Amino acid sequence: MTTKSPATAVLPPQAAAPEPPTPAARVTLRGTAKTGRRLAVPRSVRRCAGPVGLVLLWFLTSATGLLPESVLASPVDVVKQAVELTESGELPGAIAASGRRAAIGFLIGASVALTLSLSAGLFRLGEDVIDSSMGMFRAIPWVGLIPLFIVWFGIEETPKIALVALGVTYPLYFNIYAGIRSTDAQLVEAARMMGLGRLGLIKYVILPSALPGALVGLRYALSTAWLALVFAEQINADAGLGYLMSNAQQYFRTDVIVLCLAVYALLGLACDFAVRILSRRLLTWRANFEGEV
């Protein structure tokens, strides 16, 4: 009699332990890296290529007579005039006077814009009262208010500073207001579920979300401040870059006019560069697309 051997149990293979998930790396969306060797031109050189090319074209057209001096002075004459006005102290004094007006007007306009945008962005009552009025006043050309400012404030420093403040207010207000209202509602709800109160919600959620828009508004506001100053300093000014331009206009000195315009442009470029650096410092937490190579 044969005995059957007990059936051998076939055990399933032991399941491999799942590997722990690797932590997600923070990704900044940059341009796709190109493989292969090629000559890389620094970005600083590329940024300067446009302005340098325009100045070179200006010099060539002036030197060959295609651009008459009665129409526009050559860059050589502009540089000579810059040296003369700097040595006499007129140009540094004009820059100081214009800078003081721009700084005071910017501080006033930024304070007003910040107060109004926070009131309209954080509270519905503030939005109902403020936002529609700001939209209405924005449609009025602020340059057209110069005669009214002269009637109200006279012809001294006050109308010049008021015009700069008015030009600064609108871009700052609308960008900060839009940044506050573009905050993710789900993020706000999650913060409330975690126990954040109103002040904590504003400090840790709403204001950081509005910061990118506020910095964009700051760039626009600074450029608008210098633009408003060009018009403001035409109001019976006795100092400043606008004063130099007015005197040069009477004597058809295009070299002085171009010099003053170049100084305005350089001051605006310096302000824009400062805001760019500030944006990089304050927005390190944000992953940005920085363009292709």
Side-chain angles (χ1 to χ4, degrees), residues 60 164 196 221-222 249 253 266 286 293:
L60 292 176
V164 174
L196 279 181
L222 287 171
Q249 180 185 3
R253 296 293 304 275
L266 291 176
R286 185 183 179 195
V293 176

Side-chain angles (χ1 to χ4, degrees), residues 106-169:
F106 176 81
L107 291 177
I108 295 174
S111 301
V112 173
L114 184 61
T115 302
L116 295 178
S117 60
L118 290 178
S119 301
L122 297 176
F123 307 103
R124 294 179 181 176
L125 177 60
E127 179 187 15
D128 297 337
V129 174
I130 297 173
D131 190 60
S132 58
S133 300
M134 291 296 292
M136 178 181 64
F137 288 129
R138 185 189 185 185
I140 301 175
W142 45 267
V143 179
L145 295 175
I146 293 178
L148 193 59
F149 281 179
I150 294 176
V151 173
W152 288 349
F153 307 117
I155 57 176
E156 300 298 329
E157 291 294 307
T158 305
K160 303 175 182 62
I161 295 174
L163 191 65
V164 174
L166 185 65
V168 165
T169 300

Side-chain angles (χ1 to χ4, degrees), residues 52 62 155 177 238:
V52 171
S62 298
I155 57 176
Y177 170 77
D238 56 358

Side-chain angles (χ1 to χ4, degrees), residues 88-101:
S88 64
E90 293 183 58
L91 185 60
I95 294 175
S98 298
R100 182 175 62 254
R101 293 176 183 133

Side-chain angles (χ1 to χ4, degrees), residues 47-125:
R47 284 180 179 273
C48 296
V52 171
L54 289 176
V55 173
L56 182 60
L57 178 63
W58 176 20
F59 173 77
L60 292 176
T61 53
S62 298
T64 56
L66 294 177
L67 185 62
E69 188 175 352
S70 58
V71 176
L72 188 64
S74 68
V76 176
D77 295 334
V78 173
V79 172
K80 290 180 179 179
Q81 194 59 229
V83 174
E84 293 178 5
L85 292 178
T86 302
E87 292 177 349
S88 64
E90 293 183 58
L91 185 60
I95 294 175
S98 298
R100 182 175 62 254
R101 293 176 183 133
I104 297 174
F106 176 81
L107 291 177
I108 295 174
S111 301
V112 173
L114 184 61
T115 302
L116 295 178
S117 60
L118 290 178
S119 301
L122 297 176
F123 307 103
R124 294 179 181 176
L125 177 60

